[in-house]
Amino acid sequence: MSDQKTEKMAIAKAINESLRQALEADPKVLVMGEDVGKLGGVFRVTDGLQKDFGEERVIDTPLAESGIVGTAIGLALRGYRPVVEIQFDGFVFPAYDQIVTQLAKMYARSLGKVKLPVVVRIPYGGGIGAVEHHSESPEALFAHVAGLKVVSPSNASDAYWMMQQAIQSDDPVIFFEPKRRYWDKGEVNTESIPGPLHRARVVREGTDVTLVAYGPMVKLCLEVADAAAEEGRSLEVLDLRSISPLDFDSVQASVEKTRRLVVVHEAPVFLGSGAEIAARITERCFYHLEAPVLRVGGYHAPYPPARLEESYLPDLDRVLDAVDRSLAY
Amino acid sequence: MTVESTAARKARRSAGGKAGATGTEPAGSAGEAGAGADPADKGTGTAGAKRTASTGRTTRAGKTAGTAGTTRATGTSGGKRAASKPRAAKKAAGKPAASTAADEHDLVQLLTPEGERVENAEYDPYVADLTPEDLRGLYRDMVLTRRFDAEATSLQRQGELGLWASLLGQEAAQIGSGRATRPDDYVFPTYREHGVAWCRGVDPTNLLGMFRGVNNGGWDPNSNNFHLYTIVIGSQTLHATGYAMGIAKDGADAAVIAYFGDGASSQGDVAESFTFSAVYNAPVVFFCQNNQWAISEPTEKQTRVPLYQRARGYGFPGVRVDGNDVLACLAVTKWALERARRGEGPTLVEAFTYRMGAHTTSDDPSRYRHDDERVAWEAKDPIARLRAHLTAANHTDEGFFAELEDESEALGRRVREAVRAMPDPDHFAIFENAYADGHALVDEERAQFAAYQASFADAEGGK
């Protein structure tokens, strides 16, 4: 772990470096999607990859999401490991059929004879002032489907390593990239893997309330913990990193310590991943809990126009309010 | 409501819970809608009355058409051919839905319904090397496939299978195209390609597992380069295209063939597979079996132009072949596969055929189609046609047919016994192969299930 191998880079750059690393390491790895080649992707996440690896490895595709995922399945059947980009969260639905009925199930249908190591990259979430279908958080729709794995990094180091691990996985992985954090910089040690792909991590220790988040909400929760500290409250912040499988053991361990849990995500609260966490943690920690598990997230409404998204998205005060309610029991 | 102890409740459910779980219900439950009934028994269908026997036109004119009977709607080299068929173009422009009645000038045919050999300069070379033995082999394939299919239909009626999708009438399209493939080619079927599976060497009994409900697949796709059946309509055309893109990347000279039906041609995935395969010049043959009906909807409900002409808009050739003519299907598919292997990209082959039976055993075609239509298509039967040819050409004798009949019956017996002997999967198969790398939730739920199962044994006194 020499210091020379530690670099400061933005999340978008970390994913770019990770893809570059994967393309170099394995000739079967392909990058596919609309605009991923010459343009380098609309967020420049794939910038320069086609120039260095050629059009046969970094493939500009027709504008057809089902086609992108469906042909990636065929390429995986032929022994390739495609990493496909869906340009924005709300555009994944034309491909949802291929992802759910084909990508997720072929391993089981073939009784393990056919593996589909496909990574579907989806920039997701709000907070960038975009037009409709560009700010959604559909992770629960994918996590609900057996056969898929669903992850979301919150920082540059995880973005770098989790992408490598997702590509190496023999299972299809839906890789949700927090687009509002693409330009956040962090330290990346490119020599040392921080941990397994599906392990949650305590990113701030605390004793009074546990905050659980993933992707774009981890940064917010750390800010909440700072603000709460000023009021004399010690919050523990857990970054789930993986939504399916979900590391309930780590959540349980934290809740057994703090006895209070608030789950924070951008997606609508109703039937969201927070609901699953609340139910399981209630089962596992019933006698430890001092308060019901609370959730902070989006409303059961279409994602609003950009001028209203600050009201829709969880913010500092909404999370602090939930912390207050938890502590009031 | 009486209250029973947990142990008593579990013991009761343990004993009772097993019956009926295997799809071995008595005959008649699934098929009671008349799925197997002869449509003639159902009286005259009203909805189908407008659909007269227009599709029954025989295609003898192909004889005089010769090479002009071959139509390739190609965006590049086929300009001269497209120009030779103003009639079809006029029809498509002037009248809606001109696609179901096979225009004789559209159709590649090497054997007439009476079994006469039609010369075709373009496609004859692809069947020129066939020996009488090869011809008998094609005949044998079709007869055995039909016998297998009939047995499976019977097994469904007897409650041994939950469902069956019959290929009756489509033997020539499947055997002709299937025999055109090489072992290193890769096949992406729908759920009706029993004849193609036969050609690829997949044991027919393996096809029955998913219909009996003991698995969702039943064979290793890579053993025979024959992918699993795909239920969602048209999905597999994209898998085929991606696989073909991989072949091109590998620099291999194999090809891919994707099967789908006239209904699937309406699916976005099929359109996207046409786009991708054309853009990347993928070595894939799209083999559309236009059997005229997508469950109850005729081809007119899917398209306003003949399906093979769709290819033109994507920039690759489309050919319509007589789907009840095994020689024509073999020749055209060979041509298309060789073209793909040479790096000349995709082809759409529309095999113009007819689904003689129901869509599946749950279907009742008498509700939507007129019996006259079926009768007209019976006159074009693929097996009778080749038999007439073999006999007229003195390529065989009665001994061959008698032996084949014995072989058919033996196959029927083997299939019947194999299905009845098929074991139910182990309970824990639910959790097997959900993930290649494992998943914590699956592990947790498997353990819960195991504990639950074990509790029944406890309730029964440790049995």
Side-chain angles (χ1 to χ4, degrees), chain A residues 16-36:
Chain A
N16 180 282
E17 287 295 327
S18 189
L19 291 171
R20 176 177 294 280
Q21 177 65 33
L23 284 161
E24 267 170 15
D26 183 353
K28 293 295 185 185
V29 172
L30 305 171
V31 169
M32 301 169 61
E34 296 152 24
D35 307 310
V36 299

Side-chain angles (χ1 to χ4, degrees), chain A residues 28 30 56 59-62 64-68 70-71 73-75 77-78 80 97-98 101-102 106-115 145-149 169-171 244-245 280 284, chain B residues 188 210 215-222 227-230 232 235 238-239 241-243 245-247 249-250 252 269 272 275-276 279-280 432-441 444-445 448:
Chain A
K28 293 295 185 185
L30 305 171
E56 285 290 315
I59 304 165
D60 273 324
T61 65
E65 284 80 6
S66 190
I68 293 169
T71 54
I73 290 170
L75 282 157
L77 291 171
R78 181 72 191 177
Y80 287 86
D97 167 38
Q98 282 285 347
T101 69
Q102 309 298 319
M106 219 173 270
Y107 181 72
R109 291 192 63 222
S110 70
L111 302 179
K113 297 289 196 289
V114 164
K115 291 173 184 166
V145 177
L148 301 177
K149 290 183 172 173
S169 169
D170 279 335
D171 288 313
S244 178
R280 295 237 172 210
R284 286 180 175 222
Chain B
F188 287 85
M210 69 182 288
N215 59 45
N216 290 321
W219 59 93
D220 178 355
N222 293 324
H227 190 66
L228 298 172
Y229 279 179
T230 299
V232 178
S235 295
L238 280 169
H239 310 159
T241 301
Y243 196 96
M245 288 162 63
I247 286 177
K249 281 185 191 306
D250 294 345
D269 276 3
E272 293 187 22
T275 297
F276 274 71
V279 165
Y280 298 114
E432 297 307 313
N433 304 306
Y435 291 89
D437 297 341
H439 191 290
L441 182 59
E444 187 183 323
E445 292 184 351
Q448 287 169 357

Side-chain angles (χ1 to χ4, degrees), chain B residues 86-120:
Chain B
R87 225 182 114 185
K90 210 185 289 173
K91 257 169 70 177
K95 231 171 46 165
S99 65
T100 52
D103 186 321
E104 53 267 38
H105 294 292
D106 287 351
L107 204 66
V108 178
Q109 188 182 70
L110 302 183
L111 269 186
T112 69
E114 293 74 25
E116 292 168 38
R117 184 72 167 79
V118 180
E119 283 184 19
N120 182 311

